[in-house]
Amino acid sequence: MTIIPDTKDWTWVLERRCDECGFTASELAPTDFAGLVRQTAAAWPAVLARPDVRERPNHSTWSPLEYGAHVRDMLRLYRERLTIMLELDDPLYPNWDPDAAAVAGRYGELHPSVVSRELLDAASDIADAFEVLVPEEHRRPARRDDGASFTVKTFAQYFCHDLVHHLHDVSAPSVAEVPVEE
Ligand SMILES: [Zn+2]
């Protein structure tokens, strides 16, 4: 099975509400970044324990396991990018090809409970990093090699939309609906 690469430029999510998942990234304040990362990550163990975890809903959509592995790798990648943005002046970082990463990382063959634990660890790392940012750091710039430019703030807003959107992709409760009991 082949997944058709999603080559859309998603930076428009910084300008307006996403109709697919309902999230408005530009309204997210820097003080909310860490909490949103932790809240969305907390929804994944249930997704990765589902009986359909290895099933692709159709031939062009990832399985919940593949989405979970993608989110884990995204959390790790953005943690690295954040470090680069804090250490270098206006760094240029390469765009990431998630479909190539899925093939190289054999996402479909991974163990769901391992992915679940790794995803939570990666979320905790980047949430900790967001939590200690000071206001000047939110203004630090960076560029992506496809021409997009970000500040730490818009980079985090873009990233947070992705986290919410991927829960929508696997039909998991959105961030507002994640149960808080247990
Ligand atoms: Zn969305």
Side-chain angles (χ1 to χ4, degrees):
M1 282 191 295
T2 320
I3 297 284
I4 299 156
D6 185 355
T7 51
K8 269 188 291 183
D9 175 11
W10 281 89
T11 49
W12 59 264
V13 301
L14 295 169
E15 313 292 326
R16 61 182 192 271
R17 177 181 181 274
C18 174
D19 288 336
E20 278 184 50
C21 71
F23 191 70
T24 307
S26 60
E27 289 176 358
L28 195 67
T31 46
D32 297 331
F33 296 154
L36 187 135
V37 170
R38 292 188 209 284
Q39 250 186 311
T40 55
W44 278 96
V47 173
L48 290 165
R50 273 166 29 184
D52 67 339
V53 68
R54 294 181 185 276
E55 285 168 28
R56 287 182 176 174
N58 56 60
H59 61 76
S60 62
T61 305
W62 277 341
S63 67
L65 173 59
E66 290 172 299
Y67 269 116
H70 168 69
V71 169
R72 175 202 63 185
D73 284 358
M74 207 178 79
L75 289 159
R76 291 173 172 171
L77 175 75
Y78 276 70
R79 177 70 187 90
E80 286 166 21
R81 286 179 174 174
L82 179 61
T83 301
I84 293 168
M85 290 176 82
L86 295 174
E87 288 176 355
L88 302 176
D89 285 325
D90 199 14
L92 180 70
Y93 55 73
N95 202 358
W96 184 50
D97 182 344
D99 300 291
V103 173
R106 297 173 174 272
Y107 286 177
E109 297 169 32
L110 300 175
H111 200 290
S113 67
V114 174
V115 172
S116 180
R117 191 171 63 243
E118 291 173 344
L119 186 157
L120 291 175
D121 284 348
S124 175
D125 281 350
I126 191 166
D128 288 349
F130 280 138
E131 231 150 34
V132 297
L133 291 178
V134 296
E136 305 90 85
E137 287 173 322
H138 293 130
R139 291 190 287 273
R140 293 185 65 84
R143 290 156 297 136
R144 203 168 62 185
D145 68 2
D146 63 347
S149 51
F150 296 91
T151 61
V152 166
K153 181 182 170 185
T154 59
F155 157 89
Q157 288 173 331
Y158 179 92
F159 170 66
C160 286
H161 163 262
D162 255 17
L163 296 175
V164 172
H165 197 98
H166 287 320
L167 285 177
H168 169 80
D169 286 327
V170 295
S171 309
S174 75
V175 67
E177 296 157 338
V178 172
V180 287
E181 79 273 275
E182 289 175 295

